[in-house]
Amino acid sequence: MLIGQELCKALFNDEYQYVLAVHCDHEHIHNHIIVNNVNFYTGHTFETEHNQGKIPDRAWSKLRTISDELCRKHGLSIIENPHFSKGKSHWEWELDKQNLSWKEQLKRAIDEVIKVSEDFEDFLAKCADFGILVDYNPDHKIDLKFMLSEQKERNPRAKFTRAKTLGYFYESQQIRRRIESYKYQMSHSPTARIIRTTADKFQQSQGLTNWADRENMKVASKALNEMTASNSTLEELESAAHRAFAEFMVMSTPQFELSDRIHELEKQIPAIEEYRKYKVYYKNYTYLEGKSKKKYGENCRYELDQYHECRKKLKELFPDGIIPKIKDLQDELKKAREDYAKMSAERKALKKEADRLSRLAQQKRDSQRTLARYMQNEQAAKRKKGQLE
């Protein structure tokens, strides 16, 4: 209640009437606010006074900013990267809980296409086979859109959904990365070998057949044990490995950005220190006059030239002319290096986990194939034996 009151105070500034209700009948406690949108001082509506101008400056953006500030103040969580995903309406949320959301159906269908695609162009070509309509234009800012063909059949006026609306992992660049990561998971070839007993030499030698049967049963038994070793299904293991590898790939961008910032700071700090070192010579030079100034300039020509070079370099590094304090930059560099080390450790752990899950998935996949080949060989051998008899 108090947080809700603080939010209304900051947003409405005691100029609008409102009713605040706190709902605590669900797991997530939340506020409902009903507003009389007429300012009782000016008579203008809330929309007129606050929703003019460019979209980023409108009231909903201010509301989110105020809400995030209050949540941080009171130790509550916030959505750190709201631009990565789009919120759901209550109707979509309810359908999603029941696994009925058309967006979820669309995302699952896209996931299936990714698994069977060789590259992004192949992905676009195969979408139709999975009931997905796709609109791709690399020249546009919004380059990728999707729609279920079933949705189009039900409503001919239905519009395509932007990839970004489905979430970060469904944008064109991320789909390319996901295809590569899935191909990486599938790159290992099975090692188990089933001996084919349909050849004439096995039919002519019972001892050779008995030996082959024993060897095949050993391989099949091992495959069966490997299949039942994990409680997870093949699909669950593949999905978990894919998620871990996707997270590993996603973290590369902020890590590269952090690396760039570290290199930038490593250039800025020495440049400022060098500038301060030679600035004293320039100050001394400006204080002098006449022959003293001329003599000082001749004796300290190198230092004065270095000062001008350092000043020129600072203008390139700080175009706005504002030179930060070295202590602030040193603190930022220290924290950036610590964050980079932490991020590197997290990415290494994600890659290790992705490899582990990928190996488990491949092992289960190989075991399934081995058992299938074993059963095929047994059936083929029985058929051939029956034909000979």
Side-chain angles (χ1 to χ4, degrees), residues 288-303:
L288 298 173
E289 294 180 354
K291 292 182 179 180
S292 299
K293 187 172 187 177
K294 183 179 179 181
K295 185 177 180 181
Y296 186 86
E298 291 172 353
N299 293 336
C300 301
R301 176 51 53 196
Y302 173 78
E303 288 81 1

Side-chain angles (χ1 to χ4, degrees), residues 11 41 43 47 123 147 161 164-165 206 249 290 299 320-321 367:
L11 184 63
Y41 292 114
E47 292 87 349
F123 166 83
M147 181 193 298
T161 299
K164 188 175 182 180
T165 303
Q206 187 61 44
M249 294 294 290
N299 293 336
D320 57 3
S367 299

Side-chain angles (χ1 to χ4, degrees), residues 30 87 227 284 369:
H30 58 281
M227 278 188 63
N284 293 337
R369 291 172 182 169

Side-chain angles (χ1 to χ4, degrees), residues 193-212 377 381 384 388:
R193 180 173 173 267
I194 294 294
I195 302 170
R196 295 291 182 182
T197 56
T198 53
D200 291 341
K201 63 180 180 180
F202 289 102
Q203 301 300 325
Q204 296 168 2
S205 171
Q206 187 61 44
L208 190 60
T209 301
N210 291 341
W211 169 82
N377 179 69
K384 186 160 187 178
L388 291 174

Side-chain angles (χ1 to χ4, degrees), residues 28-282:
H28 61 291
I29 299 174
H30 58 281
N31 292 324
H32 286 259
I33 304 168
I34 302 172
V35 186
N36 178 357
N37 73 333
V38 178
N39 186 311
F40 48 70
Y41 292 114
T42 66
H44 295 158
T45 64
F46 185 84
E47 292 87 349
T48 300
E49 294 189 326
H50 296 278
N51 278 5
Q52 303 298 314
K54 296 180 180 179
I55 290 176
D57 300 324
R58 292 184 179 177
W60 66 264
S61 181
K62 183 179 178 182
L63 174 62
R64 184 194 301 177
T65 301
I66 295 171
S67 177
D68 287 351
E69 289 175 354
L70 290 173
C71 286
R72 289 191 186 97
K73 176 183 173 183
H74 291 278
L76 301 176
S77 63
I78 65 169
I79 299 174
E80 293 291 351
N81 297 297
H83 55 283
F84 277 1
S85 62
K86 184 174 180 283
K88 301 177 182 177
S89 66
H90 184 72
W91 178 76
E92 282 185 84
W93 179 76
E94 284 290 351
L95 288 180
D96 193 19
K97 281 179 66 179
Q98 304 170 42
N99 292 322
L100 297 174
S101 166
W102 61 264
K103 283 185 182 177
E104 285 302 312
Q105 293 177 36
L106 180 56
K107 286 161 70 173
R108 290 173 188 173
I110 293 171
D111 292 341
E112 291 304 312
V113 184
I114 288 172
K115 291 180 181 179
V116 297
S117 299
E118 290 297 319
D119 51 37
F120 187 70
E121 287 67 31
D122 189 41
F123 166 83
L124 295 175
K126 287 180 177 175
C127 277
D129 299 335
F130 287 77
I132 304 171
L133 303 177
V134 61
D135 179 8
Y136 176 64
N137 190 333
D139 297 328
H140 287 181
K141 183 177 180 180
I142 302 171
D143 62 343
L144 188 60
K145 300 177 184 177
F146 297 104
M147 181 193 298
L148 290 172
S149 54
E150 180 184 356
Q151 187 185 1
K152 187 69 173 178
E153 291 170 6
R154 291 182 180 180
N155 179 13
R157 299 178 65 183
K159 296 182 179 180
F160 279 85
T161 299
R162 292 178 294 177
K164 188 175 182 180
T165 303
L166 297 175
Y168 181 67
F169 292 112
Y170 296 89
E171 295 179 27
S172 56
Q173 289 301 322
Q174 299 310 316
I175 288 176
R176 285 185 169 89
R177 290 178 177 178
R178 291 177 64 188
I179 291 171
E180 288 302 315
S181 71
Y182 193 80
K183 285 172 65 180
Y184 162 79
Q185 293 173 35
M186 301 291 287
S187 61
H188 308 291
S189 58
T191 55
R193 180 173 173 267
I194 294 294
I195 302 170
R196 295 291 182 182
T197 56
T198 53
D200 291 341
K201 63 180 180 180
F202 289 102
Q203 301 300 325
Q204 296 168 2
S205 171
Q206 187 61 44
L208 190 60
T209 301
N210 291 341
W211 169 82
D213 287 343
R214 286 195 300 272
E215 293 300 312
N216 285 344
M217 287 181 67
K218 289 178 184 178
V219 172
S221 177
K222 182 180 178 182
L224 186 62
N225 290 335
E226 289 175 346
M227 278 188 63
T228 56
S230 171
N231 293 327
S232 302
T233 65
L234 175 59
E235 291 74 17
E236 288 171 341
L237 287 170
E238 287 178 342
S239 180
H242 183 74
R243 281 197 304 273
F245 193 82
E247 288 177 26
F248 165 80
M249 294 294 290
V250 167
M251 283 186 69
S252 63
T253 299
Q255 188 173 24
F256 291 152
E257 290 174 351
L258 192 58
S259 176
D260 290 342
R261 180 55 181 159
I262 289 173
H263 291 151
E264 190 177 43
L265 289 167
E266 287 173 343
K267 290 179 181 177
Q268 291 175 348
I269 293 172
I272 296 174
E273 290 174 337
E274 194 80 354
Y275 171 76
R276 288 185 175 179
K277 174 183 175 182
Y278 293 108
K279 186 178 178 181
V280 63
Y281 291 95
Y282 182 75

